[in-house]
Amino acid sequence: MLKKAIIPSLLVAFSFPAFAADDHLHAGDLQPWRQGAEIFLNSQLFEVDLGDLGGGPFATDDPGIDVNIEKGAFNPDNWLQFQAVAPLQFWDGDEWTTSMPNGEHINIVDALDQTIRIDGHDISNNLAVIGEFEADGGLHTHIDFSLQDASNTLSGSQGAYRIELKLFESAANSELSVSYAAKPVVIVFNQGLAEAEFEHAVEALEDAHEGAHEGAEYDDITGILSIPEVEAFGKHYTIQLNDQGNFLFQLSEAHEVEDDDEHAHEQ
């Protein structure tokens, strides 16, 4: 049984840009599985239409989460959580921007009835509990997403809205990860756009991520987790983390990735 806990946000919000142009689903659940200390997913990009029959306009409980226990179960009684790692973005017909037409924000209600608000500038209460793993290491659940305007009313300008969430597994009532996804899940919500225009927005998002780096690699012998590129405080780094036991990791090295254009200018 889930027990409500106050979980302070101590995790560093790294953003890992990585998905291929054809690596997304038009519908369906997130299907995570665990291998070692890493969480993998059936896709890094999901497209969702706002406006469920149950939730009404401007709300949805898609995509759901359905663990693929055949590929890798999680630890029973542990929690699956997510961390929001980027501000809300809006497709204005020409580009993705963090400028909202009418103060729009996405609210997410988690399994502990906590509300996570993501707007174009800030993320409040960015850790959220998705659910508790069952005895077989599986989990199938849904959480609620809604689009609201500046008056906190279920509403929103026509367009597409994008959020990024990074999954991790923890013990119950804990903020420490025992496994986690090196790449974030990108969810793009359609609010009233025709299919062709919505797909154009998604394609523009994919184009911005071309040439993304590979994901993390874990060395079973040395216990070193290497991540080729993370974003923090407006800069990019390659990092290494040492396994401290029970798949808890401590940062050991971080090197700033030099921008190719800047390097060429200096030459």
Side-chain angles (χ1 to χ4, degrees), residues 81-98:
Q81 303 193 51
F82 71 75
Q83 181 180 27
V85 296
L88 182 64
Q89 291 196 26
F90 173 72
W91 174 255
D92 63 7
D94 295 313
E95 63 179 355
W96 286 97
T97 175
T98 56

Side-chain angles (χ1 to χ4, degrees), residues 149-169:
D149 61 19
S151 65
N152 297 318
T153 301
L154 284 170
S155 184
S157 303
Q158 179 175 296
Y161 298 82
R162 170 204 178 206
I163 61 173
E164 290 188 29
L165 309 174
K166 193 171 78 166
L167 300 182
F168 69 97
E169 174 191 5

Side-chain angles (χ1 to χ4, degrees), residues 15-20 23 38 44 182-184 206 208-217 226-231 235-239 255-260:
S15 179
F16 298 80
F19 47 79
D23 184 22
E38 190 169 358
Q44 301 304 134
K183 304 173 185 178
E206 291 167 337
H209 286 76
E210 286 184 354
H213 293 270
E214 297 179 357
E217 293 184 359
S226 301
I227 305 177
E229 185 171 342
V230 299
E231 183 179 347
K235 296 183 179 181
H236 294 261
Y237 300 86
T238 60
I239 67 171
H255 302 284
E256 186 176 349
V257 178
E258 188 173 22
D259 183 82
D260 291 339

Side-chain angles (χ1 to χ4, degrees), residues 2-5 7 65 79-82 107-117 125-131 141-145:
L2 288 173
K3 298 179 181 178
K4 189 164 185 178
I7 304 176
I65 296 88
W79 286 1
L80 182 64
Q81 303 193 51
F82 71 75
N107 277 1
I108 308 171
V109 179
D110 76 352
L112 300 182
D113 204 30
Q114 301 175 120
T115 298
I116 295 84
R117 171 181 164 136
N125 194 24
N126 67 335
L127 292 185
V129 179
I130 296 172
T141 189
H142 291 257
I143 55 178
D144 294 324
F145 302 88

